[in-house]
Amino acid sequence: MSIVITVTSGKGGVGKSTTLANLAVGMADEGKKVVAVDFDIGLRNLDMLLGLENRIVYNVIDVMEGKCNLSQALINDKHSKSLYFLPASQTSDKNILDKVKVKELLDTLKKEFDVILLDSPAGIEGGFEHAIAFADRALIISTPDVSSVRDADRVIGIIDAKSEKAQQGEEVVKHVVINRVKPELVERGDMLNTEDVLNILALPLIGVVPDCEKVISSTNLGEPIIRDTKAQSGEAYRRISKRILGEEVDYLDLSVKKGFFKRMFT
Amino acid sequence: MSLLTSLFGKKSSSANVARDRLKLVLAHERASNALPYMDEMKAEIMEVIKKYTQVKDIHISSQNNQNIDVLEMEIILK
């Protein structure tokens, strides 16, 4: 059974595409056949995060318009045989996506892949609606700051309204990923903690990713951080990938080491 | 809230302020988000009324009293 997972956030710049790139690698490493589809039409970015920007010939719009075959547009990852990437087009015509064609594309992808990851554009407009319309699951990425949480809440509120699945009375499974957490700030009371964010968004958690300087260099290199076995954020993504696939994994211990007493009470 | 903070109180940290501000603003926004079909419905009702008379604006508000959800509509004529 293949599954369509949409990664979304509302606010831009919270690490949506970075998260998607890492989870795509993570789930492929877990033995699933994964395709990462960039639905951020006009603002292609997933290609660079995966380090595949030089291999693009055709894009997702070309496939939907029949200008090429799916296999011509799919790009195989450099390292993983079971990970494929379908780039966004760089057209500025936002209305180019068509619901019927999106469904057709996803149905075709479902025949070949176990996991279809859709990178939704920021915002709540057309592009987002197409990305969420046929999702089985949604991952909502939020950083622990007021604007990101607020926008995430707004997106959560409209997912069901835009989802075909929800309209047929089924449930779109939604989970929160809290990204760029700085444990020292949380401990000091200067950053919303996991509990606060989950309380406000009223959704279950699937992962907390610590803020990590290494993500910047990994982005520079086009190598998702999950491939860095020493990076804490990479480990966080690895665990999220497993959780998505149904495995129960402990959460990373992000507490600032301060000894027994402090931990007892926080 | 942790046991420590509830026992001894805590100077209001910026995260607590953020949490309270978010809760307030979202409580307000959710009320207006609760009916995602509102804008479309409003436009359609407007079209229907326009067939018969001149309409300036429509206000729709939702309330729930006990167990009944009520949509209250106010039609302002020209």
PDB file of all heavy atoms in Angstrom, chain B residues 45-55 77:
ATOM      1  N   ILE B  45     -25.010  33.412  -1.453  1.00  0.00           N
ATOM      2  CA  ILE B  45     -26.240  33.982  -0.894  1.00  0.00           C
ATOM      3  C   ILE B  45     -26.459  35.381  -1.465  1.00  0.00           C
ATOM      4  O   ILE B  45     -27.562  35.767  -1.849  1.00  0.00           O
ATOM      5  CB  ILE B  45     -26.161  34.035   0.655  1.00  0.00           C
ATOM      6  CG1 ILE B  45     -26.146  32.619   1.223  1.00  0.00           C
ATOM      7  CG2 ILE B  45     -27.343  34.832   1.229  1.00  0.00           C
ATOM      8  CD1 ILE B  45     -25.942  32.544   2.721  1.00  0.00           C
ATOM      9  N   MET B  46     -25.355  36.099  -1.546  1.00  0.00           N
ATOM     10  CA  MET B  46     -25.397  37.454  -2.081  1.00  0.00           C
ATOM     11  C   MET B  46     -25.976  37.449  -3.500  1.00  0.00           C
ATOM     12  O   MET B  46     -26.820  38.267  -3.845  1.00  0.00           O
ATOM     13  CB  MET B  46     -23.963  37.993  -2.101  1.00  0.00           C
ATOM     14  CG  MET B  46     -23.871  39.466  -2.140  1.00  0.00           C
ATOM     15  SD  MET B  46     -23.112  40.034  -0.625  1.00  0.00           S
ATOM     16  CE  MET B  46     -22.437  41.572  -1.166  1.00  0.00           C
ATOM     17  N   GLU B  47     -25.512  36.487  -4.319  1.00  0.00           N
ATOM     18  CA  GLU B  47     -26.002  36.377  -5.694  1.00  0.00           C
ATOM     19  C   GLU B  47     -27.511  36.143  -5.713  1.00  0.00           C
ATOM     20  O   GLU B  47     -28.240  36.749  -6.506  1.00  0.00           O
ATOM     21  CB  GLU B  47     -25.304  35.223  -6.417  1.00  0.00           C
ATOM     22  CG  GLU B  47     -23.868  35.500  -6.797  1.00  0.00           C
ATOM     23  CD  GLU B  47     -23.722  36.789  -7.598  1.00  0.00           C
ATOM     24  OE1 GLU B  47     -24.439  36.941  -8.602  1.00  0.00           O
ATOM     25  OE2 GLU B  47     -22.905  37.650  -7.190  1.00  0.00           O
ATOM     26  N   VAL B  48     -27.963  35.262  -4.856  1.00  0.00           N
ATOM     27  CA  VAL B  48     -29.390  34.945  -4.816  1.00  0.00           C
ATOM     28  C   VAL B  48     -30.206  36.185  -4.425  1.00  0.00           C
ATOM     29  O   VAL B  48     -31.203  36.517  -5.073  1.00  0.00           O
ATOM     30  CB  VAL B  48     -29.667  33.801  -3.804  1.00  0.00           C
ATOM     31  CG1 VAL B  48     -31.165  33.580  -3.658  1.00  0.00           C
ATOM     32  CG2 VAL B  48     -28.987  32.522  -4.269  1.00  0.00           C
ATOM     33  N   ILE B  49     -29.757  36.868  -3.408  1.00  0.00           N
ATOM     34  CA  ILE B  49     -30.507  38.038  -2.945  1.00  0.00           C
ATOM     35  C   ILE B  49     -30.523  39.130  -4.009  1.00  0.00           C
ATOM     36  O   ILE B  49     -31.528  39.806  -4.227  1.00  0.00           O
ATOM     37  CB  ILE B  49     -29.915  38.567  -1.624  1.00  0.00           C
ATOM     38  CG1 ILE B  49     -30.057  37.485  -0.540  1.00  0.00           C
ATOM     39  CG2 ILE B  49     -30.650  39.840  -1.182  1.00  0.00           C
ATOM     40  CD1 ILE B  49     -29.334  37.794   0.726  1.00  0.00           C
ATOM     41  N   LYS B  50     -29.413  39.236  -4.730  1.00  0.00           N
ATOM     42  CA  LYS B  50     -29.314  40.248  -5.778  1.00  0.00           C
ATOM     43  C   LYS B  50     -30.368  40.072  -6.860  1.00  0.00           C
ATOM     44  O   LYS B  50     -30.742  41.005  -7.547  1.00  0.00           O
ATOM     45  CB  LYS B  50     -27.916  40.208  -6.410  1.00  0.00           C
ATOM     46  CG  LYS B  50     -26.924  41.147  -5.740  1.00  0.00           C
ATOM     47  CD  LYS B  50     -25.619  41.100  -6.500  1.00  0.00           C
ATOM     48  CE  LYS B  50     -24.504  41.754  -5.718  1.00  0.00           C
ATOM     49  NZ  LYS B  50     -23.189  41.370  -6.255  1.00  0.00           N
ATOM     50  N   LYS B  51     -30.820  38.828  -7.029  1.00  0.00           N
ATOM     51  CA  LYS B  51     -31.857  38.557  -8.020  1.00  0.00           C
ATOM     52  C   LYS B  51     -33.140  39.293  -7.674  1.00  0.00           C
ATOM     53  O   LYS B  51     -33.937  39.632  -8.525  1.00  0.00           O
ATOM     54  CB  LYS B  51     -32.166  37.051  -8.046  1.00  0.00           C
ATOM     55  CG  LYS B  51     -31.233  36.247  -8.885  1.00  0.00           C
ATOM     56  CD  LYS B  51     -31.885  34.882  -9.071  1.00  0.00           C
ATOM     57  CE  LYS B  51     -30.850  33.839  -9.433  1.00  0.00           C
ATOM     58  NZ  LYS B  51     -31.404  32.493  -9.316  1.00  0.00           N
ATOM     59  N   TYR B  52     -33.361  39.478  -6.372  1.00  0.00           N
ATOM     60  CA  TYR B  52     -34.642  40.016  -5.927  1.00  0.00           C
ATOM     61  C   TYR B  52     -34.566  41.456  -5.435  1.00  0.00           C
ATOM     62  O   TYR B  52     -35.491  42.219  -5.583  1.00  0.00           O
ATOM     63  CB  TYR B  52     -35.208  39.129  -4.818  1.00  0.00           C
ATOM     64  CG  TYR B  52     -35.391  37.702  -5.276  1.00  0.00           C
ATOM     65  CD1 TYR B  52     -34.422  36.746  -5.047  1.00  0.00           C
ATOM     66  CD2 TYR B  52     -36.528  37.347  -6.005  1.00  0.00           C
ATOM     67  CE1 TYR B  52     -34.576  35.455  -5.498  1.00  0.00           C
ATOM     68  CE2 TYR B  52     -36.688  36.045  -6.465  1.00  0.00           C
ATOM     69  CZ  TYR B  52     -35.718  35.106  -6.212  1.00  0.00           C
ATOM     70  OH  TYR B  52     -35.869  33.834  -6.672  1.00  0.00           O
ATOM     71  N   THR B  53     -33.463  41.794  -4.823  1.00  0.00           N
ATOM     72  CA  THR B  53     -33.371  43.146  -4.297  1.00  0.00           C
ATOM     73  C   THR B  53     -31.910  43.581  -4.270  1.00  0.00           C
ATOM     74  O   THR B  53     -31.015  42.804  -4.601  1.00  0.00           O
ATOM     75  CB  THR B  53     -33.994  43.226  -2.875  1.00  0.00           C
ATOM     76  OG1 THR B  53     -33.842  44.555  -2.398  1.00  0.00           O
ATOM     77  CG2 THR B  53     -33.313  42.268  -1.923  1.00  0.00           C
ATOM     78  N   GLN B  54     -31.690  44.820  -3.889  1.00  0.00           N
ATOM     79  CA  GLN B  54     -30.313  45.303  -3.882  1.00  0.00           C
ATOM     80  C   GLN B  54     -29.697  45.107  -2.508  1.00  0.00           C
ATOM     81  O   GLN B  54     -30.236  45.569  -1.500  1.00  0.00           O
ATOM     82  CB  GLN B  54     -30.295  46.777  -4.260  1.00  0.00           C
ATOM     83  CG  GLN B  54     -30.634  46.984  -5.729  1.00  0.00           C
ATOM     84  CD  GLN B  54     -30.204  48.334  -6.213  1.00  0.00           C
ATOM     85  OE1 GLN B  54     -30.511  49.333  -5.574  1.00  0.00           O
ATOM     86  NE2 GLN B  54     -29.505  48.373  -7.327  1.00  0.00           N
ATOM     87  N   VAL B  55     -28.573  44.441  -2.517  1.00  0.00           N
ATOM     88  CA  VAL B  55     -27.955  44.122  -1.243  1.00  0.00           C
ATOM     89  C   VAL B  55     -26.591  44.813  -1.137  1.00  0.00           C
ATOM     90  O   VAL B  55     -25.866  44.931  -2.112  1.00  0.00           O
ATOM     91  CB  VAL B  55     -27.834  42.595  -1.067  1.00  0.00           C
ATOM     92  CG1 VAL B  55     -27.022  41.994  -2.187  1.00  0.00           C
ATOM     93  CG2 VAL B  55     -27.233  42.239   0.268  1.00  0.00           C
ATOM     94  N   LEU B  77     -29.489  45.943   3.207  1.00  0.00           N
ATOM     95  CA  LEU B  77     -29.957  46.335   1.875  1.00  0.00           C
ATOM     96  C   LEU B  77     -29.484  47.735   1.561  1.00  0.00           C
ATOM     97  O   LEU B  77     -29.188  48.526   2.443  1.00  0.00           O
ATOM     98  CB  LEU B  77     -31.482  46.265   1.842  1.00  0.00           C
ATOM     99  CG  LEU B  77     -32.082  44.885   2.144  1.00  0.00           C
ATOM    100  CD1 LEU B  77     -33.595  44.974   2.188  1.00  0.00           C
ATOM    101  CD2 LEU B  77     -31.632  43.871   1.117  1.00  0.00           C
TER     102      LEU B  77
END
